[in-house]
Each structure stands twice: as C-alpha cells, then as structure tokens.
Amino acid sequence: FRFKDSLAEELQSAELVISHAGAGSCLETLEKGKPLIVVINDKLMDNHQLELAKQLHRDGYVLYCNCSTLVETLQSMNLSALKPFPPGQPEKFASFLDKVFGLQ
C-alpha cells in the first residue's frame, strides 16, 4: 500500500503480514495475533527499525530479514515457532506516571 488511513480490515483477514519495522506497524500486527515478517531497511541512518526487529525476533514474536533475504525467509519460515504477543497493560504505565507525579 502507498498510504491508507487504516489497515485494520486487511490485518483482520491476513494470514501473514510482511511489513517494515515501524513500531506502530509491528505492534498493531502483533496485537491482532497475526504472524509477522519484518523487512528492515538497512539503508536508514541510526537504524532503530533493525533494533526493534532484532528484539522482537529474540523474544520469539517475529521473523525478520532485509529485501535481499525476503524470498529465502519465506521459503524457510516456520510460523508455528512464533510466540503470541502478550496483550498491553496500559494501566501499569498509568500507575507509574501517577507515582512519578506524586498522585498515588
């Protein structure tokens, strides 16, 4: 897709998502419980996408590759080895902020 306001409908019906490693894209896909292959852009300076992809891979949630290894990744992937992403717990962050600001 070039640009779309929301990919929620496509994510809901997807069996596999191949995406860049933007934090929003990764988290939205993982929260929907969809298997994810993250394709990093290794030409970015200070490549935070690579850091995120590596960590999510180490934790067992995604597969990652770059453009030149995507076909190989698709051919050798084992999606059943991926772990389900745990649901978010925004109340923990809210509680932390309350403590920091002396509201608790």
Side-chain angles (χ1 to χ4, degrees), residues 30 33-36 55-63 78-86:
L30 292 171
K34 302 298 178 171
L36 176 60
Q55 187 61 54
L56 289 172
H57 177 74
R58 274 193 295 266
D59 293 342
Y61 302 124
V62 306
L63 300 175
N78 177 5
L79 298 179
S80 65
L82 296 177
K83 297 185 334 189
F85 192 71

Side-chain angles (χ1 to χ4, degrees), residues 1-14 17-20 24-26 28-29 32 34:
F1 298 100
R2 285 183 169 272
F3 177 79
K4 199 167 183 185
D5 286 333
S6 173
L7 295 176
E9 191 175 311
E10 286 78 7
L11 287 175
Q12 193 62 37
S13 64
V17 176
I18 300 172
S19 176
H20 75 136
S25 299
C26 290
E28 185 176 5
T29 301
K32 296 265 190 249
K34 302 298 178 171

Side-chain angles (χ1 to χ4, degrees), residues 28-89:
E28 185 176 5
T29 301
L30 292 171
E31 287 170 351
K32 296 265 190 249
K34 302 298 178 171
L36 176 60
I37 296 176
V38 175
V39 181
I40 57 156
N41 180 349
D42 47 12
K43 292 177 178 32
L44 291 176
M45 290 181 76
D46 300 324
N47 197 347
H48 64 281
Q49 287 192 3
L50 177 59
E51 292 174 28
L52 177 61
K54 281 184 175 181
Q55 187 61 54
L56 289 172
H57 177 74
R58 274 193 295 266
D59 293 342
Y61 302 124
V62 306
L63 300 175
Y64 81 97
C65 61
N66 57 37
C67 289
S68 64
T69 60
L70 177 58
V71 171
E72 179 184 327
T73 301
L74 288 167
Q75 291 171 337
S76 66
M77 68 184 180
N78 177 5
L79 298 179
S80 65
L82 296 177
K83 297 185 334 189
F85 192 71
Q89 297 176 323

